[in-house]
Amino acid sequence: MVFGRSSRAARRPVEPVTLKILVAGGFGVGKTTLVGAVSEIKPLRTEETLSEAGRPVDNIEGVESKSTTTVAMDFGRITLREDLVLYLFGTPGQDRFWFLWDELAQGALGAVVLADTRRLEDSFAAIDYFERRGIPFTIGVNCFEGADRFPADTVRAALDVDPEVPVMMCDARDRESVKAVLVAVVEHALVRSTREREPIST
């Protein structure tokens, strides 16, 4: 009978660990596209059409052709392994919606800061936000067609991020490319968490 109970226990499905990952960056950098590329469920999107009323406060320089903006968040889900599920929360890129970031950041394991080499300065606000709050992050350089390509170390220097922060080239439209960035976020966060728990030798 003991053997039977053990067999039944062994056949129980694995209860996956769920982790929360933020996807942040400047306006029009590809956050909504990234979440949609990997989500195994229909992504929740809160996009609204850009209006004339918002033009005085919305900076669309460099993305003049963009006609919509995320006003709350994007949400998606991806199963990386049988025992690991990521919930993805895309943050709004416009300055006037940044008050939502604190709510979205609660309980987050880490973040992707999506960057565009044509507008790297748009990444500084997100980088500063996660650095101040001690949230591990990975830089994902979204390689737009026609944009100049630079080595990861050059991007790292331009963004002035620590050597331990992963900097990866990616295509926000490509599922496998995005998965690689998300795996890097999880690994980076876990390594940092382990390091912080290690006792300080005297």
Side-chain angles (χ1 to χ4, degrees):
M1 295 299 294
V2 173
F3 175 79
R5 286 198 299 270
S6 299
S7 298
R8 286 196 298 273
R11 291 195 298 269
R12 288 175 184 167
V14 176
E15 188 68 27
V17 173
T18 58
L19 303 175
K20 181 178 183 180
I21 302 293
L22 300 185
V23 181
F27 174 60
V29 79
K31 300 181 295 295
T32 298
T33 300
L34 183 148
V35 173
V38 296
S39 181
E40 61 201 17
I41 62 172
K42 184 177 180 180
L44 169 65
R45 293 174 174 167
T46 57
E47 287 195 308
E48 295 291 342
T49 303
L50 289 169
S51 65
E52 287 299 323
R55 289 191 181 277
V57 293
D58 292 336
N59 180 14
I60 61 171
E61 184 177 353
V63 285
E64 290 83 359
S65 62
K66 187 169 173 60
S67 60
T68 60
T69 184
T70 298
V71 297
M73 67 174 183
D74 298 310
F75 173 76
R77 184 187 71 200
I78 176 173
T79 302
L80 289 184
R81 299 192 312 251
E82 180 185 7
D83 60 345
L84 181 59
V85 175
L86 302 185
Y87 290 133
L88 307 177
F89 290 81
T91 64
Q94 297 289 61
D95 295 9
R96 59 194 169 111
F97 299 120
W98 281 355
F99 67 92
L100 295 168
W101 284 38
D102 288 343
E103 290 291 331
L104 293 176
Q106 290 187 19
L109 173 78
V112 177
V113 176
L114 207 55
D116 179 352
T117 57
R118 300 168 298 182
R119 300 178 290 123
L120 279 180
E121 65 279 3
D122 290 354
S123 305
F124 290 139
I127 291 172
D128 289 344
Y129 182 90
F130 297 126
E131 285 182 340
R132 288 197 307 269
R133 286 158 180 78
I135 298 175
F137 63 93
T138 291
I139 303 292
V141 181
N142 193 9
C143 298
F144 286 90
E145 293 180 10
D148 292 334
R149 306 293 176 94
F150 299 97
D153 286 344
T154 301
V155 176
R156 181 191 308 281
L159 293 175
D160 192 26
V161 293
D162 292 338
E164 68 175 19
V165 176
V167 177
M168 304 177 63
M169 306 299 120
C170 70
D171 182 342
R173 303 166 299 181
D174 182 79
R175 179 180 175 84
E176 293 305 314
S177 179
V178 173
K179 281 178 65 175
V181 174
L182 295 174
V183 168
V185 174
V186 174
E187 291 178 344
H188 175 51
L190 294 179
V191 166
R192 204 173 92 169
S193 176
T194 300
R195 187 187 307 128
E196 290 172 352
R197 289 197 303 266
E198 291 176 350
I200 299 175
S201 58
T202 57

